[in-house]
Amino acid sequence: DVIQLVHISNDRKQVSVVHFPRDYYVDIPGHGKNKINAAYAYGQSPLLVQTIQDLVGVKIDHVAKTDFEGFKNITDAVGGVRVYAEEASNGRGNSGPVAIRQGWNDLNGEQALAFVRERYQLSQGDISRGRRQQAFLKALMLKVLDRDTLLNPVKFSRLVDVGTKNTTVDESFDRSTLRSQALSMRKVRGEDIHF
């Protein structure tokens, strides 16, 4: 139940990410007020998109979703990520046996999944988990947009294959669109990604 809204500027130089805590109370069209994750339960992606569009007043062009296995596979396909943790967790919360230290952590797919799922051991629960999810997204984006990935046809093709096999996207966000979007963002750096 991770809900992130990603905006990429028209010039492909800036990325903004907004996290919606899954327990955020909102108006869900046709269902009254409820937690935002209920929108998906009631009407899958179309109702969730409509709910978020109504909430923020912005049209959403594309939807992408993955399950836990897909998340791990995508992370492993880029060779893991290096991510900064604001808080440590010892692996006894809901994330499983993975210990995270405060500061930089090099994570494979399984470790990254534990990192983004933890909330019980964090100071602000779901809010802190949202910050972890954003830190992971930033690390993943930077790894995907790295020159060594984008300019290596074999590595990039493999990543696109893993990404398309492990992610469900809307009909207009096909493999070639995904490839061209990534290539058009090749100049994005860490300081260009805002939360």
Side-chain angles (χ1 to χ4, degrees):
D1 298 74
V2 176
I3 303 167
Q4 304 279 351
L5 178 63
V6 178
H7 172 75
I8 302 166
S9 64
N10 285 337
D11 63 5
R12 303 294 187 251
K13 293 180 181 177
Q14 298 286 316
V15 179
S16 300
V17 183
V18 178
H19 166 73
F20 294 92
R22 69 185 194 154
D23 293 339
Y24 190 49
Y25 217 64
V26 298
D27 285 315
I28 300 173
H31 299 277
K33 283 202 170 279
N34 207 329
K35 296 175 182 178
I36 197 166
N37 64 334
Y40 187 81
Y42 292 140
Q44 303 293 305
S45 295
L47 185 57
L48 179 59
V49 167
Q50 183 181 356
T51 300
I52 293 173
Q53 285 181 155
D54 290 352
L55 179 66
V56 298
V58 174
K59 182 183 179 304
I60 296 174
D61 297 315
H62 299 291
V63 174
K65 67 178 182 170
T66 190
D67 61 14
F68 291 155
E69 278 307 305
F71 179 95
K72 291 189 290 189
N73 292 340
I74 292 166
T75 304
D76 288 336
V78 297
V81 295
R82 182 169 175 77
V83 66
Y84 187 83
E86 294 175 350
E87 299 177 64
S89 56
N90 65 21
R92 293 192 192 120
N94 70 327
S95 66
V98 176
I100 302 294
R101 67 181 176 277
Q102 182 179 12
W104 290 103
N105 294 262
D106 294 308
L107 307 175
N108 65 24
E110 190 165 328
Q111 294 164 328
L113 182 61
F115 174 77
V116 300
R117 292 192 68 212
E118 182 57 61
R119 69 177 176 188
Y120 295 117
Q121 293 188 333
L122 303 179
S123 64
Q124 292 183 304
D126 204 33
I127 300 299
S128 296
R129 176 170 60 177
R131 284 199 298 270
R132 276 190 168 192
Q133 291 166 355
Q134 289 177 330
F136 168 82
L137 278 175
K138 183 175 186 174
L140 181 64
M141 279 191 258
L142 292 174
K143 195 79 180 260
V144 169
L145 298 173
D146 185 77
R147 293 176 51 97
D148 290 339
T149 302
L150 289 176
L151 300 179
N152 181 326
V154 174
K155 196 174 191 180
F156 187 67
S157 182
R158 181 173 173 263
L159 177 60
V160 170
D161 285 344
V162 170
T164 54
K165 287 177 186 167
N166 290 280
T167 306
T168 303
V169 295
D170 60 83
E171 292 175 5
S172 64
F173 200 51
D174 59 15
R175 184 183 173 110
S176 65
T177 303
L178 178 63
R179 182 183 301 270
S180 66
Q181 283 279 357
L183 289 172
S184 71
M185 295 173 59
R186 65 187 171 276
K187 293 185 180 179
V188 170
R189 300 294 172 255
E191 61 273 10
D192 302 324
I193 301 172
H194 308 281
F195 298 100

